[in-house]
Amino acid sequence: MLCRISHFSRGIVNPTLAVLLHPASSRASLHLGIIIRSLSPSVRLHTTTRRSQIQMAPPLSVLLSQGTGRVLSIQSHTVQGYVGNKAAVFPLQLLGFDVDPINSVQLSNNTGYPTFRGQVLNGEELWSLIEGLESNDLLVYTHLLTGYIGSVSFLETILRVVEKLRSVNPDMIYVCDPVMGDEGKLYVPSELVSLYREKVVPVASMITPNQFEAEKLTDFSISSEAEGLRACNILHDAGPSKVVITSMEIEGMLLLIGSHQKIKGHLPEQFKIVMPKIPAYFTGTGDLMTALLLGWSNQYPEDLWKAAELAVASLQAILHRTIHDYEAADIKPSTKQYEIRLIQSQDDIKSPQVTYFAEKY
């Protein structure tokens, strides 16, 4: 059947359009958007009013595989600075991904400043966006990435999103950064902890807690490498095949501990990376780290240690550049105002130089 676009005033079908829009034409969907934009205003008006007769062309990111994928990233956003989606989207794009961000929270700036303003997306509003994508056949993703979520209702909706995305693509990879707190302090409602533990962790493909969050998810204290490894095993038993505790402070050392259970029920491959502790507080580093882990683990799906080395290399380079630039400008920020120099670190994201290596257990 031909997809007919008729002239609004005379009802004449352009034979060229009819050929190009024939379903048998492999170029039909690719050229449709270009053709419509080239039509006269009267024809465009008619295509708008009769859009139900037209099969809308999906974006090229859906049609053409780049060997990476499409990421739906649901996390916070700040107008100024780099946290949440602002810290995750750009690096993933540099690593070759198409990224569609949904902002769980939109703030003027990070909460380390004296004041901030903004809005919070609720679960119903999130689901409305998902329904909008689905109604246009745009809900095709290889990865879901989630970060800061501030309410039970929103996190429950995330679970619906996971189910919906996997109904379209059963192989969809869910990377969860369970942002709940740090350094012994919980900064989300306590009800979220049990929901993460009981419902979210079991459906995640990879989870990237910090030390405090890993303790909350496993319900025991982590004060040694052995306990960190045990925490990874508990999380594997709950669901995800890949676990990265992104930062642990043990006996004055800063560690990343990673664990990859390639076959359910088998012993995981586990490793650590020892990093220098930089005496400064940076915003957005956890969000950035999870995005980098997603990006590099997609390139090295069987070598989580390699993905972690590359992610750590990028992060360390960005932090050192940030400190250097602040010092060069003779600025001494207050405790929570080190805004990472993300845009200036593009080369370090695309081609990181590994200096801290994984040690396998």
Side-chain angles (χ1 to χ4, degrees):
M1 176 179 179
L2 296 183
C3 179
R4 298 166 64 89
I5 297 183
S6 57
H7 192 282
F8 182 70
S9 59
R10 291 186 292 172
I12 299 173
V13 177
N14 185 317
T16 303
L17 294 178
V19 171
L20 284 173
L21 298 177
H22 194 287
S25 172
S26 62
R27 297 184 177 182
S29 60
L30 295 177
H31 289 295
L32 179 55
I34 298 171
I35 293 166
I36 290 176
R37 288 194 296 271
S38 68
L39 298 176
S40 65
S42 61
V43 176
R44 289 201 300 271
L45 173 62
H46 193 39
T47 60
T48 301
T49 58
R50 300 285 299 279
R51 63 176 301 205
S52 62
Q53 299 180 11
I54 300 174
Q55 172 121 18
M56 299 301 292
L60 289 176
S61 62
V62 174
L63 291 173
L64 303 178
S65 172
Q66 302 298 324
T68 50
R70 296 185 72 229
V71 180
L72 180 63
S73 180
I74 305 175
Q75 48 189 315
S76 61
H77 168 88
T78 57
V79 176
Q80 193 280 329
Y82 295 95
V83 302
N85 272 327
K86 284 284 290 289
V89 172
F90 180 66
L92 284 170
Q93 290 171 331
L94 286 178
L95 294 177
F97 291 85
D98 285 292
V99 188
D100 293 344
I102 294 178
N103 300 326
S104 59
V105 175
Q106 178 168 263
L107 300 178
S108 56
N109 44 267
N110 75 66
T111 56
Y113 286 87
T115 63
F116 59 91
R117 298 288 187 273
Q119 303 84 35
V120 178
L121 195 71
N122 62 39
E124 184 178 342
E125 291 166 333
L126 169 61
W127 193 248
S128 177
L129 293 173
I130 297 300
E131 288 182 322
L133 291 168
E134 182 182 28
S135 66
N136 290 296
D137 296 324
L138 298 174
L139 209 61
V140 182
Y141 292 98
T142 58
H143 297 76
L144 170 66
L145 171 61
T146 61
Y148 175 78
I149 293 165
S151 71
V152 169
S153 65
F154 198 91
L155 189 53
E156 288 175 336
T157 305
I158 290 292
L159 291 168
R160 295 174 64 193
V161 173
V162 174
E163 183 179 9
K164 176 66 71 175
L165 293 182
R166 284 184 173 152
S167 72
V168 179
N169 175 17
D171 297 323
M172 190 273 298
I173 295 170
Y174 174 25
V175 177
C176 173
D177 182 4
V179 180
M180 294 185 288
D182 198 6
E183 298 179 344
K185 182 180 179 181
L186 194 68
Y187 43 68
V188 297
S190 59
E191 296 84 1
L192 284 178
V193 176
S194 59
L195 186 55
Y196 267 113
R197 184 190 301 142
E198 297 168 12
K199 298 292 182 66
V200 178
V201 171
V203 299
S205 310
M206 178 193 294
I207 190 163
T208 62
N210 59 32
Q211 183 175 356
F212 174 75
E213 292 157 350
E215 290 176 334
K216 288 295 181 182
L217 292 174
T218 56
D219 201 25
F220 78 92
S221 177
I222 300 173
S223 57
S224 67
E225 291 182 44
E227 289 172 341
L229 295 173
R230 180 188 168 202
C232 291
N233 291 336
I234 291 174
L235 292 170
H236 283 314
D237 290 342
S241 62
K242 295 179 180 179
V243 178
V244 179
I245 302 178
T246 55
S247 60
M248 290 177 49
E249 191 169 347
I250 304 294
E251 298 178 352
M253 297 187 301
L254 187 63
L255 307 176
L256 174 150
I257 287 185
S259 185
H260 185 190
Q261 188 177 54
K262 296 183 178 181
I263 301 175
K264 195 68 176 177
H266 287 222
L267 290 175
E269 294 182 357
Q270 298 182 314
F271 61 91
K272 69 177 178 181
I273 299 176
V274 181
M275 302 168 285
K277 185 176 180 181
I278 301 174
Y281 188 95
F282 303 86
T283 58
T285 54
D287 309 316
L288 171 60
M289 185 65 180
T290 297
L292 292 168
L293 285 168
L294 186 161
W296 288 115
S297 65
N298 188 72
Q299 186 165 335
Y300 299 99
E302 297 301 313
D303 297 312
L304 182 59
W305 62 270
K306 180 67 173 178
E309 282 185 343
L310 292 164
V312 167
S314 290
L315 180 61
Q316 288 292 316
I318 292 169
L319 298 186
H320 284 290
R321 173 173 280 103
T322 299
I323 290 177
H324 174 272
D325 288 357
Y326 271 92
E327 290 177 346
D330 197 24
I331 297 175
K332 296 180 180 180
S334 60
T335 305
K336 293 189 176 183
Q337 287 187 339
Y338 272 99
E339 302 276 10
I340 55 175
R341 299 285 282 170
L342 192 66
I343 305 304
Q344 295 75 17
S345 304
Q346 296 181 45
D347 291 341
D348 297 313
I349 295 169
K350 291 186 292 185
S351 304
Q353 302 300 309
V354 175
T355 53
Y356 303 103
F357 297 91
E359 303 172 45
K360 296 184 180 181
Y361 288 101

